[in-house]
Amino acid sequence: MTRTATIARKTGETNIQLTLNLDGDGGGTRASGIGFLDHMLDLLAKHALIDLDVKAKGDLHVDDHHTAEDIGIALGQAMHEALGNRAGIRRYGHFTLPMDECLVTAAVDLGGRYAFEYHAPIAASKIGTFDSELVEHFWQSFAANSHSNLHVVLHHGRNSHHIAECVFKATARAIRMAAESDPRSDAIPSTKGVL
């Protein structure tokens, strides 16, 4: 079964085309109009082993908020659609990732319900021209729209760019683990029989 999805999201603030293949190799192109976000999406695709194409036009003359938020929404919707009834997946994933002076743990449950806990503060308000608070907001938008539990914890770190990168890589690795096919079961991973 092909685990892919294409999402078109058009609002008064953004116009996004996003295609996701959960069984990819990190391919695709990212063109959000925000250089730092494209870098983070490149990391996400590579470390989650998903193919991800993102083409976005947003109201960047205002700021990066709407574009980052709506890409997070579209990515979450694509994940939800591509997973289908979630039969045969591991469901849970977690990863603790070191990157230079940073250490981040991300844990995800692709179980069909939303919860979000984020404890990865970035002291600087900007990473280049990118508002650092949008790292958290991107992942909150993803979790809500993928119907997932996502917990992110920064154990330690100082460099703002490193913290953001560590968050994206750790979360990507956790998603990769959770979305992988379980070689021991093709059932829906719940005693309820439905997710």
Side-chain angles (χ1 to χ4, degrees):
M1 181 174 128
T2 305
R3 302 192 303 163
T4 61
T6 297
I7 300 294
R9 178 178 173 81
K10 186 172 184 179
T11 73
E13 299 160 341
T14 62
N15 186 353
I16 295 166
Q17 303 290 324
L18 185 147
T19 300
L20 171 70
N21 176 3
L22 290 178
D23 300 306
D25 60 6
T29 58
R30 276 62 72 174
S32 69
I34 305 168
F36 184 77
L37 182 58
D38 288 345
H39 176 41
M40 295 298 106
L41 294 172
D42 289 344
L43 298 172
L44 169 61
K46 182 67 174 179
H47 288 274
L49 281 183
I50 59 174
D51 292 340
L52 178 63
D53 285 295
V54 178
K55 185 176 182 182
K57 291 194 179 301
D59 57 355
L60 300 182
H61 63 284
V62 176
D63 64 11
D64 297 345
H65 183 101
H66 298 136
T67 303
E69 175 182 50
D70 284 7
I71 291 172
I73 290 170
L75 180 63
Q77 290 172 340
M79 177 71 69
H80 180 63
E81 184 178 318
L83 286 169
N85 68 1
R86 304 181 192 221
I89 66 168
R90 293 184 185 274
R91 178 178 168 179
Y92 298 100
H94 60 91
F95 205 88
T96 299
L97 189 130
M99 181 182 164
D100 298 331
E101 86 291 356
C102 295
L103 187 69
V104 168
T105 294
V108 65
D109 172 12
L110 299 177
R113 289 188 308 235
Y114 166 67
F116 183 67
E117 289 290 333
Y118 188 90
H119 305 280
I122 298 173
S125 63
K126 294 279 191 181
I127 306 169
T129 61
F130 188 76
D131 291 330
S132 59
E133 68 184 9
L134 293 178
V135 174
E136 176 178 357
H137 192 55
F138 173 89
W139 285 114
Q140 184 275 327
S141 299
F142 167 82
N145 287 277
S146 61
H147 303 258
S148 300
N149 291 185
L150 177 59
H151 295 246
V152 178
V153 177
L154 171 68
H155 302 286
H156 46 259
R158 295 178 300 278
N159 182 281
S160 300
H161 187 121
H162 290 171
I163 293 170
E165 191 164 326
C166 207
V167 166
F168 268 80
K169 287 179 176 177
T171 307
R173 291 279 173 162
I175 290 169
R176 174 179 167 181
M177 182 186 296
E180 280 180 340
S181 296
D182 187 337
R184 297 185 60 200
S185 174
D186 60 2
I188 291 174
S190 172
T191 54
K192 298 173 186 173
V194 65
L195 289 174

